[in-house]
Amino acid sequence: MIRTVLALTAFLALTLAGRAEIVKVKGKGEVAYTGIFSPGSAAERAAIVEAKKSALSRFAAGFDSARFELYKRVEPQVVAHLDDYVTDFTPLDQQTDKTSKRFSITIEASINATLLENAIQKSVGAAPAAGAATYMTFVFVAREQASRKAFDAKRTVVEINETAQAGSEKTGIAADGQSAERSAESSSVAKKTTGGNTETKADELVYRVTTITEVDNAVNSVLTKAHYETVDPVDAGLDVAAFKNDFSSGSDISPATRSSAIKTLKEKEITFLALANMDVGLPEKDEASGMTRVYVTVTAKVTDLTAKFPKTVASIAGKPYAGLGANAQVAKQNALNEAAGRSAGELVDQLRMKNVR
């Protein structure tokens, strides 16, 4: 029995470790020492600790602003248990300056991103109790440009013509000396003034809008891990076709679609509505890897429906995410998955920052 329990414990430990997401990040630590430096000394150990802290800081620097603020809340706890979060490291370079008596080391640290995420989640409070679930429905659409109508510039010209007459009269003595003669001279001056304006209309863009299962799965995964109970928009009673139609010609839904959705969700006691449109860019070559790269730009917001008047509690304004692939289709799918997962994560972080549940 004891052997069985020990074996089961070991198996569970290996399973959890296998599920942990390990991220490799470089870090550098430097310390001053006294006397003669030697490998394995207290100075070397102190420099390694600083290098681990540096790697953690570099990792956190890649967070969006909301997640970084959440990380700062737990940073003292993480640093106090540094070896739990930096599970391993590989020395890359080390330098000993005997003149200034300083030792520095550069490492590649293995950071347990899963454990760090758990610490962040705990810092924002416990998950809702049973029977007190927070429901959220979301509509994330991907759109590509289907057509573009360009208008010629309209030029309006105003022309003013002015004419002025000038004249003179001369009187002289005729050749016979007995009579007088007169002569008249005249001239005219023409003045032309032009002006006007040019009117240019913005292009009319029409988008091809779709919902994608992989995108929905990526968003659902993020929201579920953050303890939100997700409700399929169809099950919530939303007219998804209306959302797609609105996003086909604009960057937001129409007032009619919004009013209808809010009324429906309130009746079903769904707390949050998350909307996002993801604009898919044209494929291009990534110079670094030689692969095809596609950018997806996300505009999103979360609306809290619990109060009398709905209010926006989280938003993303035109943030680009990139995906690479062997061809345009693969790069596009990778970009959409990256954009969906990371934008959903950023929205959740903003909600956590405000302690919104």
Side-chain angles (χ1 to χ4, degrees):
M1 176 65 73
I2 294 176
R3 289 180 179 177
T4 302
V5 173
L6 291 174
L8 181 59
T9 302
F11 172 76
L12 290 173
L14 289 173
T15 302
L16 291 173
R19 291 179 180 175
E21 182 185 357
I22 304 298
V23 181
K24 302 285 188 179
V25 185
K26 292 180 182 178
K28 182 178 180 180
E30 183 176 343
V31 296
Y33 66 89
T34 58
I36 299 175
F37 178 82
S38 60
S41 64
E44 183 183 50
R45 293 194 297 272
I48 291 173
V49 169
E50 293 303 315
K52 290 180 178 180
K53 292 179 182 178
S54 170
L56 269 173
S57 296
R58 287 171 63 89
F59 178 60
F63 295 161
D64 60 70
S65 58
R67 173 161 289 252
F68 183 76
E69 290 300 320
L70 291 172
Y71 167 74
K72 296 300 288 185
R73 293 181 183 180
V74 301
E75 187 177 37
Q77 169 195 332
V78 172
V79 172
H81 300 85
L82 193 59
D83 290 338
D84 292 340
Y85 297 92
V86 183
T87 58
D88 192 14
F89 71 92
T90 301
L92 299 178
D93 182 51
Q94 56 186 31
Q95 301 288 334
T96 305
D97 189 333
K98 296 180 179 179
T99 302
S100 63
K101 289 189 175 295
R102 300 192 70 83
F103 171 75
S104 64
I105 184 170
T106 302
I107 65 172
E108 183 179 64
S110 300
I111 297 177
N112 189 329
T114 303
L115 191 61
L116 189 60
E117 170 63 18
N118 290 341
I120 290 175
Q121 286 197 23
K122 289 179 182 178
S123 73
V124 295
T134 301
Y135 292 102
M136 177 184 290
T137 189
F138 63 89
V139 180
F140 275 49
V141 300
R143 64 184 196 176
E144 299 176 85
Q145 188 173 306
S147 65
R148 176 177 178 176
K149 183 178 181 180
F151 296 89
D152 292 336
K154 179 182 177 182
R155 176 68 178 167
T156 301
V157 178
V158 177
E159 182 176 302
I160 299 175
N161 293 310
E162 298 178 6
T163 303
Q165 287 287 137
S168 61
E169 185 178 280
K170 295 181 179 179
T171 302
I173 303 301
D176 58 8
Q178 301 298 316
S179 62
E181 63 179 12
R182 293 182 177 182
S183 63
E185 296 180 357
S186 65
S187 62
S188 64
V189 177
K191 181 180 179 182
K192 182 178 181 181
T193 303
T194 60
N197 58 77
T198 301
E199 177 185 349
T200 303
K201 293 179 66 176
D203 295 349
E204 286 186 359
L205 301 178
V206 177
Y207 296 93
R208 181 171 55 252
V209 180
T210 58
T211 53
I212 301 173
T213 301
E214 291 83 353
V215 167
D216 290 346
N217 290 341
V219 175
N220 188 71
S221 175
V222 172
L223 297 178
T224 301
K225 289 177 181 178
H227 306 297
Y228 291 99
E229 294 288 343
T230 59
V231 182
D232 188 280
V234 175
D235 296 335
L238 297 185
D239 184 357
V240 178
F243 284 81
K244 293 167 66 175
N245 182 65
D246 291 345
F247 280 125
S248 69
S249 58
S251 298
D252 205 348
I253 57 175
S254 67
T257 302
R258 175 180 169 83
S259 298
S260 175
I262 289 173
K263 182 177 182 295
T264 300
L265 296 179
K266 279 193 170 188
E267 289 174 351
K268 297 196 174 183
E269 297 183 349
I270 294 176
T271 310
F272 296 108
L273 170 62
L275 297 178
N277 67 71
M278 301 185 290
D279 288 320
V280 181
L282 296 175
E284 57 187 42
K285 183 178 179 180
D286 179 62
E287 297 297 336
S289 64
M291 302 177 73
T292 301
R293 178 177 59 205
V294 171
Y295 278 99
V296 171
T297 303
V298 178
T299 301
K301 65 180 177 181
V302 177
T303 303
D304 186 348
L305 307 176
T306 55
K308 180 178 180 180
F309 297 104
K311 62 179 180 179
T312 300
V313 288
S315 62
I316 299 172
K319 190 166 186 178
Y321 302 91
L324 297 176
N327 54 55
Q329 185 60 35
V330 174
K332 170 187 167 182
Q333 190 59 60
N334 288 338
L336 284 170
N337 292 343
E338 175 78 0
R342 290 186 60 186
S343 59
E346 182 169 345
L347 292 173
V348 167
D349 288 339
Q350 291 183 35
L351 294 175
R352 287 168 169 173
M353 278 292 299
K354 298 178 179 179
N355 294 319
V356 175
R357 281 201 171 277

